[in-house]
Amino acid sequence: MEESPRKKSGGGQVLDGSNIMELVGNKEVFSSFVEHKFKELDRDRDGELSVKELQPAVADIGAALGLPAQGSSPDSDHIYSEVLNEFTHGKQQKVSKTEFKEVLSDILLGMAAGLKRDPIVILRIDGEDLEEFINGPTFEPEMVASYSEIKSADGSGSLHDYIAKALAKLTVEQGMPPSSDPWVVISNIVEPALQSCTGHDLDKPVSQETFIEEFKKVAETVAQHLKEQHVIVAHSENDFDGSGIKRLLSNKFELDKTLNAAIENVSKDRSGKLSKEYLRVALDAVGPTAGLPPLGAVEQMDKVVQDAFNLVNADDGKLLKEDEFKKILTEILGSIMLQLEGNPISVYSNSVVHEPLASSSTLLQPSSEL
């Protein structure tokens, strides 16, 4: 299990959905916002938006959700198609201003809820933190540990290999952008720094002393590259400790409402019974309220959920009355809560933002007329 890095205070801009909530929550401001956005999109000035006129709004929503451009992949294109269908209901050729406002409000509120649950911190990696790490007291001990780990895994590697692998181990907290990103590794940061050290025989056998000395030089070059070309990183982290489930289970009214909503769309047989095979579907529906990620999103959480399902024989396919189904679903939530309280799970991700934040989406940029 990876531990989440602690970010320095004031180290980044937090995107938590509050600005979106404030916009949609102010009826006068949101109406004015929609009025201007609608006017921008309504090119033929007929008071309705065609599918073609909606495309810029759909593209902006995709960018705001962090999707690649349309046409980049079948998966993202499917999401773009679903967003368009939200506006057109899958059949309309024209969308009125009222319909546009209602759907846009729903989409923005959904985005805000997601950011509130999983805030994103935008960090600027500019070489300063990396320099601080290189010249700090933890540098040498960490490099000794990296050397030992790399040597035990691949003792025959070259100095070039050792340095590249050690750079990959550095974290955003230490001032290194994600080395899993090809833009960082191949063309802009890592390889140029390695190539700048061609005065050394990077392919000869590696001693610990040589490794630390040469790694420091390469890392200093990386820091200089970062000073000349900052890297913007989107950082998100989540702690799953069972507190969301505990809050839900302690509020009977909220629990009953959530369970009823979760099984509303679950298929029932002629006698009104539900199959245990739909427990996963119901748990996914309860997830946002209970502070749980979607099934399949976090591997460690999937194992916890599976353990809880095993305790109630969730995969035996038996049919249950509605009350029995809700009781077992509640038992599953309780089991997950106990596991997380005893062994919390922390997950985080870092990804390079390749477009300037201000231009990646114009969805929430105010019109010049506002």
Side-chain angles (χ1 to χ4, degrees), residues 73-338:
S73 80
D75 289 339
S76 59
D77 285 352
H78 174 72
I79 297 174
Y80 281 111
S81 177
E82 289 296 310
V83 170
L84 181 61
N85 285 339
E86 285 294 314
F87 286 107
T88 64
H89 305 295
K91 52 187 177 181
Q92 289 174 234
Q93 294 302 307
K94 294 276 190 175
V95 175
S96 69
K97 188 186 299 181
T98 300
E99 291 169 323
F100 178 73
K101 181 179 180 180
E102 289 175 354
V103 174
L104 187 58
S105 173
D106 288 344
I107 289 174
L108 290 177
L109 287 174
M111 289 167 57
L115 286 169
K116 183 178 180 180
R117 186 175 63 248
D118 305 324
I120 295 173
V121 180
I122 303 301
L123 303 170
R124 184 182 296 274
I125 310 296
D126 58 8
E128 290 187 11
D129 287 343
L130 183 56
E131 275 193 346
E132 186 178 322
F133 167 68
I134 293 168
N135 297 312
T138 63
F139 174 76
E140 190 161 332
E142 291 208 26
M143 289 305 101
V144 169
S146 285
Y147 174 82
S148 298
E149 189 177 332
I150 295 168
K151 186 175 183 180
S152 64
D154 183 17
S156 61
S158 66
L159 180 58
H160 181 286
D161 294 335
Y162 272 60
I163 292 174
K165 289 174 181 176
L167 283 172
K169 292 178 181 296
L170 295 184
T171 66
V172 167
E173 183 188 27
Q174 292 164 326
M176 183 71 188
S179 56
S180 57
D181 190 288
W183 184 91
V184 172
V185 176
I186 298 171
S187 55
N188 289 274
I189 306 296
V190 175
E191 282 303 324
L194 287 167
Q195 289 168 12
S196 70
C197 297
T198 52
H200 308 281
D201 187 355
L202 294 181
D203 293 317
K204 70 179 183 181
V206 188
S207 69
Q208 178 179 293
E209 184 181 357
T210 301
F211 165 74
I212 293 175
E213 181 183 341
E214 299 304 326
F215 178 86
K216 187 171 185 178
K217 292 176 184 177
V218 172
E220 286 172 341
T221 305
V222 169
Q224 187 58 43
H225 280 304
L226 289 169
K227 285 183 177 181
E228 296 167 359
Q229 187 173 19
H230 299 172
V231 176
I232 305 299
V233 172
H235 170 86
S236 64
E237 60 181 80
N238 289 287
D239 296 316
F240 302 107
D241 58 7
S243 58
I245 301 176
K246 191 170 188 175
R247 280 193 298 271
L248 179 62
L249 295 180
S250 66
N251 186 330
K252 188 177 185 306
F253 174 79
E254 186 67 23
L255 177 62
D256 288 342
K257 186 175 78 169
T258 302
L259 294 178
N260 288 333
I263 66 173
E264 190 174 321
N265 296 317
V266 173
S267 298
K268 302 178 179 68
D269 71 358
R270 291 179 180 178
S271 63
K273 290 185 176 181
L274 304 92
S275 171
K276 275 183 163 183
E277 67 185 38
Y278 292 116
L279 281 166
R280 283 182 172 78
V281 175
L283 182 64
D284 240 3
V286 172
T289 308
L292 297 173
L295 291 173
V298 179
E299 184 179 351
Q300 301 100 308
M301 283 297 301
D302 288 346
K303 292 176 181 175
V304 170
V305 170
Q306 187 58 52
D307 286 344
F309 273 65
N310 291 340
L311 286 174
V312 298
N313 298 314
D315 297 315
D316 63 14
K318 286 185 179 178
L319 293 173
L320 303 171
K321 293 179 181 178
E322 189 173 298
D323 286 346
E324 293 173 327
F325 188 91
K326 288 194 286 188
K327 182 183 177 184
I328 288 184
L329 187 55
T330 303
E331 290 175 2
I332 289 171
L333 287 168
S335 174
I336 295 171
M337 179 188 73
L338 291 174

